Structure formats: structure tokens, C-alpha cells
């Protein structure tokens, strides 16, 4: 014999199932947002470190004016410090920081390549 406390009415089962589905959907959304955030954060870190390696490359460094080289190095250092202090930032904040770095780095490198005839 089944105890009456073990029985759950059909409408109640549907409510419980609906709540479970909503919870799964919520976690799926949260997981996707977290993946996006990690992806953008990693992209920013990689970009900063690639910039640092580019500036340290003797072929590049020898063609950069000291002022431009310093500007890039300062921007990299600030970005890395910002990353260290903002590990919990949102994806759009990481993306904004990436755009900021690119706005400093890209014109300098483009100018260098134009001047070298590459």
C-alpha cells in the first residue's frame, strides 16, 4: 500500500517539473555567460602578453621610436594590473579594455610598417 504522503498530484508534478526545467535553463544561461566572460578575459590576457612579446622582439623594437615603445609598454602594464585587480569584471569590461589596448597598439604598429615599407 502506498502512503498518502508519497503521492503527488499530477498538477503538483507538473509544477515541480516546470520549476526544475526553469532552474536548468537559468543555470545554462549562467554557464554560457561565464564561458563568454572567461573567453573574453583570456583573449585580453593573450593580447596583452602577445603585445609585450612583439615589443620585445628585436626586429620590431629596433624600428619603434622610444616614445611609442614606452607608450605600448605602459599600456600593457596598466592592462595587466587592471586584469589582476578585476578578475570578476564582466565580459563587456574585458572587451572595452581590449579595444583600449588595440587603439594604442594598432596605430603604432601600422605606422611602423608603413615607415619600413613592409
Amino acid at each position: 500500500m502506498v502512503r498518502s504522503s508519497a503521492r503527488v498530484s499530477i498538477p503538483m508534478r507538473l509544477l515541480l517539473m516546470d520549476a526544475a526545467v526553469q532552474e536548468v535553463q537559468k543555470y545554462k544561461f549562467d554557464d554560457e555567460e561565464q564561458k563568454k566572460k572567461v573567453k573574453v578575459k583570456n583573449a585580453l590576457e593573450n593580447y596583452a602578453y602577445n603585445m609585450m612579446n612583439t615589443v620585445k622582439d628585436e626586429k620590431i623594437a629596433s624600428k619603434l621610436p622610444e616614445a611609442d615603445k614606452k607608450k605600448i609598454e605602459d599600456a600593457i602594464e596598466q592592462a595587466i594590473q587592471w586584469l589582476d585587480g578585476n578578475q570578476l569584471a564582466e565580459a563587456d569590461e574585458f572587451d572595452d579594455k581590449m579595444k583600449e589596448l588595440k587603439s594604442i597598439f594598432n596605430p603604432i604598429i601600422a605606422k611602423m610598417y608603413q615607415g619600413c615599407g613592409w
Side-chain angles (χ1 to χ4, degrees):
M1 179 174 213
V2 177
R3 292 186 196 151
S4 62
S5 63
R7 291 185 181 175
V8 178
S9 69
I10 291 177
M12 180 58 103
R13 283 185 191 166
L14 292 175
L15 286 173
L16 291 173
M17 287 173 44
D18 186 48
V21 168
Q22 287 178 1
E23 188 171 345
V24 167
Q25 289 173 339
K26 177 190 176 289
Y27 287 121
K28 180 181 177 187
F29 177 77
D30 291 347
D31 287 348
E32 289 170 359
E33 286 297 308
Q34 187 65 24
K35 284 180 189 177
K36 178 182 175 185
K37 184 171 138 176
V38 168
K39 183 179 178 182
V40 176
K41 177 182 165 278
N42 288 342
L44 174 58
E45 286 177 337
N46 290 336
Y47 187 76
Y49 285 105
N50 285 336
M51 280 178 34
M52 186 183 320
N53 291 333
T54 299
V55 169
K56 288 182 178 181
D57 181 332
E58 196 51 44
K59 292 177 193 173
I60 304 293
S62 65
K63 293 175 179 36
L64 281 175
E66 278 303 313
D68 286 345
K69 187 175 173 184
K70 176 142 178 51
K71 187 175 183 179
I72 290 172
E73 289 171 343
D74 289 348
I76 293 167
E77 185 174 330
Q78 289 173 0
I80 291 170
Q81 287 177 356
W82 183 87
L83 277 163
D84 289 344
N86 292 281
Q87 293 292 313
L88 300 177
E90 295 300 318
D92 61 336
E93 293 174 279
F94 291 118
D95 195 42
D96 289 345
K97 189 55 82 170
M98 172 78 89
K99 289 175 185 171
E100 181 183 322
L101 277 181
K102 285 182 176 184
S103 74
I104 294 167
F105 187 66
N106 290 346
I108 293 171
I109 296 300
K111 182 174 68 172
M112 182 198 71
Y113 280 122
Q114 288 173 350
C116 294
W118 286 348

